[in-house]
Amino acid sequence: NFCTSDKEFPDYVRLGALVGLTRHAALGIEDETLRNGVRKVFSTILDPKYATEKKLRPEIGEWFQLKALEGLTSFKTPEGPDGPTGTLDLFKKMVDDDKLDFELRALAARGIGAMDLTKVQNWDFVALATSLTTLARDLANRRISTPNSSANKSKARRRRPARPAVWAARWAAPAAV
């Protein structure tokens, strides 16, 4: 697997492989062994040590995490490589991590919302509710503490890590023909 291999690959090769895996996950992977392998890859990328070990620049590491979150969310199941609630546990851990980028925390919460949790038993849903409430509070505090002046808005934008050009192109208007 190019995404998590120990071999040295350029970031763009790893990212291309990850985009492909994310698309396959979204389309559905019939074979359970392959599906579990892809879940393991996504979980590995979401490990905070992954970006450091692969020597990814911070903005590229964040992009990898966004794609891995997108991929795991597309399965819409709490199951993961670490058991019947592996993905649910991982997403809750991300929601709880106040040092993690807020966007990633919010996407993890969205991923939990997309899961079918009807068959999950003996799991602490009260702790999940507390985590999601804390996330909502953090969002409210963040908005309250951010002044509305345009000068402060531009400063806030500069503090945010730059997104790769690929992401900007994704949202750009189609070129005129």
Side-chain angles (χ1 to χ4, degrees):
N1 178 329
F2 290 114
C3 299
T4 57
S5 171
D6 289 335
K7 296 179 183 175
E8 292 296 321
F9 290 107
D11 294 348
Y12 60 86
V13 172
R14 290 183 194 276
L15 181 59
L18 181 58
V19 168
L21 281 177
T22 302
R23 288 183 179 169
H24 282 287
L27 292 172
I29 301 172
E30 296 290 325
D31 184 272
E32 187 174 345
T33 304
L34 291 175
R35 189 171 51 246
N36 288 337
V38 170
R39 279 190 189 123
K40 180 68 177 164
V41 169
F42 290 148
S43 297
T44 300
I45 292 169
L46 290 172
D47 186 323
K49 294 179 265 179
Y50 173 80
T52 306
E53 289 172 358
K54 299 301 177 190
K55 299 178 182 119
L56 298 176
R57 296 187 317 263
E59 66 275 10
I60 300 297
E62 183 181 319
W63 179 245
F64 273 63
Q65 288 182 316
L66 287 168
K67 295 309 290 178
L69 262 171
E70 181 183 321
L72 269 178
T73 298
S74 70
F75 289 117
K76 298 181 179 174
T77 177
E79 297 169 6
D82 297 328
T85 59
T87 299
L88 178 59
D89 295 336
L90 175 62
F91 282 8
K92 183 188 176 299
K93 182 179 171 185
M94 292 178 75
V95 168
D96 289 339
D97 186 356
D98 61 354
K99 291 176 181 55
L100 193 62
D101 182 73
F102 190 82
E103 183 179 6
L104 291 171
R105 292 174 67 200
L107 287 171
R110 181 180 287 173
I112 292 170
M115 289 179 187
D116 177 11
L117 301 175
T118 56
K119 295 179 184 172
V120 175
Q121 296 181 359
N122 301 323
W123 201 81
D124 192 356
F125 285 100
V126 173
L128 176 61
T130 302
S131 297
L132 295 173
T133 303
T134 302
L135 179 67
R137 184 203 62 207
D138 291 350
L139 173 63
N141 287 340
R142 199 173 145 187
R143 290 197 174 176
I144 289 170
S145 67
T146 305
N148 271 339
S149 76
S150 61
N152 285 331
K153 284 182 182 176
S154 67
K155 284 181 187 175
R157 274 190 232 117
R158 280 184 289 206
R159 277 180 266 155
R160 180 153 184 74
R163 300 281 186 215
V166 194
W167 198 32
R170 178 178 180 191
W171 301 110
V177 179

